[in-house]
Amino acid sequence: MTESPLKITVLGCSGSYASAGGACTGFLIQSPKANVWLDAGPGTLANLQEYLDLSDLTAIVLSHEHADHWLELPVVYNAIRHYVLCDPIPVYGTHGTLSLARSMCESIEESFACEVVKDKDSLHIGDQFWQWSRTQHYVETLACRVNVANSSFLFTADTGPEWDVKSLGEDVNLVISESTFLSDREGEEILHLSARQAGLLASNANADKLVLSHLAPGEDETAHLNEARSVFDGPISLASVGKHYVV
Ligand SMILES: [Zn+2]
């Protein structure tokens, strides 16, 4: 937990598969009364433990069932069941994600208290107010917004360009957006965002700050920043493991 209203730490940000020494998608969302692990991509468990013990987690939130966003969960299941021995941790995720999790963890309730969330749902996790919106992606995928007092954070999860970020409201302090490729691939109709589209999304949300994440392997980081800057006026940076943002 943290004295700041909201502190977001990058546990992993590689798109599709982890880069050398990196990890797939995951963030630690901390506030004065909650520690929430948002997306448990492969590699993020090791990084999470740099900041807190598993027994100090308030909840885990999973955006969707693609492997690079949740597959650390069955490993956490083993850790809690056999070693950490804390009370079951609440896990919020889509129906598809939790079904897959159950199929890989034979007595899942020993480690997790699973609850399905869906489009337009909202709930309090400690002092954090969470809202979800279904994006445009190949499987049911939930973007989320977290508000604590006057601080707000929005995560796009994975999405194509047709998702309306305003479904989670406007005037957000920090947007972490996926930025999988560059605008020269927009015509391929892949259900991910280009850096340009990530910038437009942040602009539409009237965001103060934008962080680009989920770059596909081998992408040109400078080109991603430049494209997003061409359409968004606020500060823009690239996610990297260990970086944190206070809002
Ligand atoms: Zn995906």
Side-chain angles (χ1 to χ4, degrees):
M1 297 175 202
T2 167
E3 288 178 14
S4 312
L6 260 177
K7 180 179 179 185
I8 296 104
T9 304
V10 181
L11 305 176
C13 54
S14 297
S16 295
Y17 70 92
S19 56
C24 291
T25 299
F27 304 95
L28 175 60
I29 316 299
Q30 294 179 288
S31 56
K33 294 184 178 170
N35 296 315
V36 181
W37 183 3
L38 169 59
D39 272 0
T44 52
L45 172 58
N47 294 334
L48 176 87
Q49 292 170 99
E50 297 282 354
Y51 305 101
L52 83 174
D53 294 334
L54 279 174
S55 57
D56 290 329
L57 271 175
T58 313
I60 299 170
V61 176
L62 304 170
S63 66
H64 69 300
E65 68 198 68
H66 283 157
D68 55 324
H69 289 258
W70 79 277
L71 261 183
E72 203 79 281
L73 197 77
V75 184
V76 181
Y77 165 77
N78 286 334
I80 293 174
R81 189 181 187 205
H82 300 299
Y83 299 99
V84 180
L85 308 178
C86 60
D87 288 340
I89 296 173
V91 177
Y92 302 97
T94 63
H95 177 78
T97 312
L98 295 181
S99 295
L100 286 170
R102 281 196 180 87
S103 73
M104 295 181 73
C105 308
E106 61 270 28
S107 310
I108 197 166
E109 61 284 348
E110 289 185 21
S111 297
F112 302 129
C114 294
E115 191 172 322
V116 171
V117 286
K118 58 186 187 311
D119 189 33
K120 299 185 175 69
D121 278 354
S122 62
L123 61 83
H124 281 95
I125 302 175
D127 53 353
Q128 302 179 8
F129 181 63
W130 283 70
Q131 296 168 270
W132 286 274
S133 170
R134 183 171 183 170
T135 70
Q136 182 197 21
H137 199 44
Y138 301 99
V139 294
E140 183 186 9
T141 301
L142 298 173
C144 59
R145 176 177 177 136
V146 183
N147 279 60
V148 178
N150 293 320
S151 297
S152 53
F153 155 71
L154 189 151
F155 172 56
T156 63
D158 285 0
T159 186
E162 299 300 316
W163 175 61
D164 182 8
V165 67
K166 291 180 182 173
S167 59
L168 289 172
E170 296 177 67
D171 300 328
V172 63
N173 295 130
L174 172 68
V175 167
I176 297 184
S177 177
E178 73 131 294
S179 179
T180 302
F181 42 66
L182 293 168
S183 57
D184 59 347
R185 298 192 63 190
E186 286 175 12
E188 296 177 35
E189 297 183 357
I190 301 165
L191 297 184
H192 283 286
L193 297 180
S194 70
R196 188 190 73 88
Q197 289 164 333
L200 285 173
L201 180 146
S203 209
N204 282 337
N206 201 21
D208 294 336
K209 263 194 276 189
L210 170 63
V211 172
L212 303 177
S213 186
H214 201 274
L215 275 66
E219 287 291 302
D220 179 340
E221 296 183 347
T222 305
H224 273 250
L225 286 169
N226 288 340
E227 263 199 6
R229 281 192 185 120
S230 70
V231 290
F232 178 68
D233 290 335
I236 304 176
S237 59
L238 287 169
S240 66
V241 172
K243 258 195 192 173
H244 69 263
Y245 315 95
V246 174
V247 294

